[in-house]
Amino acid sequence: MIGKKKIEVEAPLIPMNPNMDLITVDGGLDVKDKTMLIAFPGVGFAGLIAGHYVVEKTGMKYIGTFVSDYMPSVATIHDAVPYYPIKIFTNKEVIALLSEFVPTQPLTSLIIKTIYSHFIDNGVKKVILLEGILLSDMKDGEDARGIYGIGIRDEINKLLENNGIALLKEGLITGISGMLLSEAYLRNSNVICFLAEAHPMYPDARAAASLIQALRIVDPQIKVDTKKLLENAVEIEKNVKETLMRSKELMDAKQKGLKAGDQRIRLPMYG
């Protein structure tokens, strides 16, 4: 009989720093009385697309990042520059915190604490979370997506309803947005979450456009034309449909036992 030997470990093999640090460039970050946008990857990448579009169109500049031992060991490359996967941008009125990855549970808690200690507790006027939720009927080609909102303060919810935004009265919001909303309720912080219906199978620029249009209701100074974004949506949907059609042709051909070189099969090109 072979017994199991108990191994006792007094401490983690790799000591973990339980903290998260805010690293800024160009002399620090002024947050007082600014609106803060937050977007993490979600359904159709709607929030992240909206966040990056607002950053680009309002001329925000990169100002810093979050770092922690819990962060994934990756760099995101843009214009031949490597960045940590959480990026912070700002201009005179708005701060945007955008992440290229979905955090684990321990990291989610650290991110929430860091948002409070460096932004909300230091005078950010309001926080707006940008999210996507599963499209209800999976129809393509509609310029607008259904959108919902939820605010911590009653006056915000009244403002949303008066402007045609349906309140999310029942449901479940996960991740950063869910935890931050729960914490904001306990602290009565001015946090708002917009959730646009998005297609789960591709980056949904239409949903992102709906989120940007909703931003104007709670912060009129965020003036961003979504025409270009909707044009991109048409192109994205066209490419996805063509890819699906080619995939179907290949699958049908495979089932019929046709060879890949048969002229009746249109093979997809690279790129």
Side-chain angles (χ1 to χ4, degrees), residues 119-138:
F119 295 93
I120 298 176
D121 291 345
N122 284 333
V124 162
K125 181 170 58 176
K126 66 173 73 75
V127 175
I128 305 175
L129 301 160
L130 303 175
E131 283 282 354
I133 56 174
L134 193 64
L135 187 64
S136 56
D137 55 10
M138 296 296 180

Side-chain angles (χ1 to χ4, degrees), residues 201-202 239-249:
M201 299 303 292
Y202 57 80
N239 291 338
V240 169
K241 288 176 181 177
E242 289 177 352
T243 300
L244 290 175
M245 288 179 64
R246 290 196 297 266
S247 298
K248 184 178 185 301
E249 290 174 357

Side-chain angles (χ1 to χ4, degrees), residues 5 19 28 30 32 43 58 61 71 73 83 89 102 112 115 119 147 159 161 181 183 192 200 238-239:
K5 183 179 180 181
N19 301 314
D30 178 22
K32 189 169 179 59
V43 179
T58 58
K61 66 176 183 177
M71 295 277 283
S73 302
Y83 297 94
F89 303 86
V102 178
I112 299 300
I115 288 171
F119 295 93
I147 190 162
L159 177 65
E161 288 187 306
L181 281 169
E183 186 69 19
I192 307 146
K238 178 183 176 182
N239 291 338

Side-chain angles (χ1 to χ4, degrees), residues 71-78 80-87 100-101:
M71 295 277 283
S73 302
V74 298
T76 60
I77 311 299
H78 181 65
V81 177
Y83 297 94
Y84 276 103
I86 293 180
K87 297 187 284 291
E100 307 296 339
F101 74 101

Side-chain angles (χ1 to χ4, degrees), residues 38 52 55 135-136 140 191 220 223 241:
I38 298 177
H52 279 292
V55 165
L135 187 64
S136 56
D140 295 325
V191 175
K223 299 177 181 179
K241 288 176 181 177

